[in-house]
Amino acid sequence: MDDADRAGRLVLAEIEGALRRSRSRNELPASDVCLGCGEDIDAERRAAVPHARRCFDCQSALERKRRS
């Protein structure tokens, strides 16, 4: 096994770890209360995104913040 093979395996291990962490966060049980503002999450949003942890406005604000 050469350096490129070892590097490739390391990258794959990092990606797999990141995916596992992401899945575990996304599989947390949802609540009816927004993590951002503490208000109830709208029934329409709950129907569209059953595991939503934020209301539409808070999720939109979070996504805008992450993009900037």
Side-chain angles (χ1 to χ4, degrees), residues 3-32:
D3 289 340
D5 291 329
R6 282 190 285 278
R9 286 185 181 192
L10 181 60
V11 168
L12 286 176
E14 288 292 324
I15 291 170
E16 289 169 354
L19 287 171
R20 273 194 303 278
R21 289 187 300 277
S22 175
R23 285 185 191 122
S24 68
R25 282 192 305 266
N26 290 334
E27 291 173 4
L28 292 173
S31 160
D32 291 336

Side-chain angles (χ1 to χ4, degrees), residues 33-63:
V33 178
C34 174
L35 291 177
C37 65
E39 296 294 321
D40 288 340
I41 297 175
D42 181 307
E44 288 179 21
R45 174 144 174 83
R46 177 73 52 221
V49 186
H51 293 287
R53 297 179 2 205
R54 290 178 178 79
C55 68
F56 180 81
D57 292 338
C58 288
Q59 184 65 38
S60 296
L62 179 67
E63 290 175 11

